[in-house]
Amino acid sequence: MEDLLPVRVTADCPSIPSILELIQRTFAFMEPRINPPSSMHRLTVEKIQDQCSEGEIWAIGERPSACVFLSAKSEYLYIGKLAVQEDMRGRGLARSLVDLAEQRARSRGLSGLELETRIELIENHETFRRLGFVKTGESIHDGFDRPTSITMRKPIKVK
């Protein structure tokens, strides 16, 4: 059984192409359901390398089964591109990555975690609720006249 502990990804990590493939595979289900299309389509190996330098990426598994992007955003640590390979779901990998994000936010003295999820992806909203997130707002992508995503936050206690 491969190690299921999160490891920080560096810009020179050989698994970066696999992280891109993981995100593309796990986000594919949403394509017929969301509008505008996912920002995943603009993601490249080079942009992942930039994220490693400008923020953080953490992955689980040598050929990653799960990953998360973290970026400082005012008083919150922003969670992006949280992805878990379909056959690895239900094993606590998303929870492990969210717990890690809490530790990273706490170490920076931040108030909590924040993420955005598309308004149509009700099952994602429920997953994030189970992980302790609450809806705090809605946003509209440029060119739309209706909300297209929701913002969710999870406050953390600074020890």
Side-chain angles (χ1 to χ4, degrees), residues 35-36 119-120 138-149:
N35 190 24
I119 207 143
E120 299 92 345
E138 295 181 345
S139 57
I140 302 171
H141 283 81
D142 288 341
F144 287 79
D145 61 358
R146 62 169 175 79
T148 53
S149 65

Side-chain angles (χ1 to χ4, degrees), residues 110-124:
L110 300 173
S111 300
L113 305 176
E114 181 177 275
L115 59 81
E116 293 177 352
T117 182
R118 291 305 183 88
I119 207 143
E120 299 92 345
L121 303 178
I122 305 299
E123 66 276 26
N124 286 6

Side-chain angles (χ1 to χ4, degrees), residues 76-87:
Y76 291 90
L77 188 62
Y78 185 81
I79 292 182
K81 304 296 184 263
L82 178 60
V84 178
Q85 186 174 297
E86 191 170 354
D87 66 351

Side-chain angles (χ1 to χ4, degrees), residues 24-37:
Q24 290 170 335
R25 244 187 354 266
T26 59
F27 283 39
F29 83 96
M30 68 178 72
E31 286 310 300
R33 297 175 56 195
I34 65 169
N35 190 24

Side-chain angles (χ1 to χ4, degrees), residues 3-32:
D3 189 7
L4 296 180
L5 295 175
V7 175
R8 189 162 180 182
V9 177
T10 58
D12 61 350
C13 185
S15 68
I16 287 178
S18 296
I19 290 170
L20 178 59
E21 291 169 16
L22 172 68
I23 293 167
Q24 290 170 335
R25 244 187 354 266
T26 59
F27 283 39
F29 83 96
M30 68 178 72
E31 286 310 300

Side-chain angles (χ1 to χ4, degrees), residues 9-75:
V9 177
T10 58
D12 61 350
C13 185
S15 68
I16 287 178
S18 296
I19 290 170
L20 178 59
E21 291 169 16
L22 172 68
I23 293 167
Q24 290 170 335
R25 244 187 354 266
T26 59
F27 283 39
F29 83 96
M30 68 178 72
E31 286 310 300
R33 297 175 56 195
I34 65 169
N35 190 24
S38 172
S39 62
M40 172 265 304
H41 293 292
R42 296 187 302 276
L43 197 58
T44 63
V45 166
E46 294 76 22
K47 287 183 179 180
I48 293 173
Q49 289 169 323
D50 290 345
Q51 174 65 29
C52 290
S53 301
E54 296 165 9
E56 300 178 20
I57 297 178
W58 292 81
I60 297 175
E62 190 174 328
R63 178 168 172 84
S65 300
C67 70
V68 68
F69 290 20
L70 304 176
S71 304
K73 182 178 177 183
S74 66
E75 76 246 34

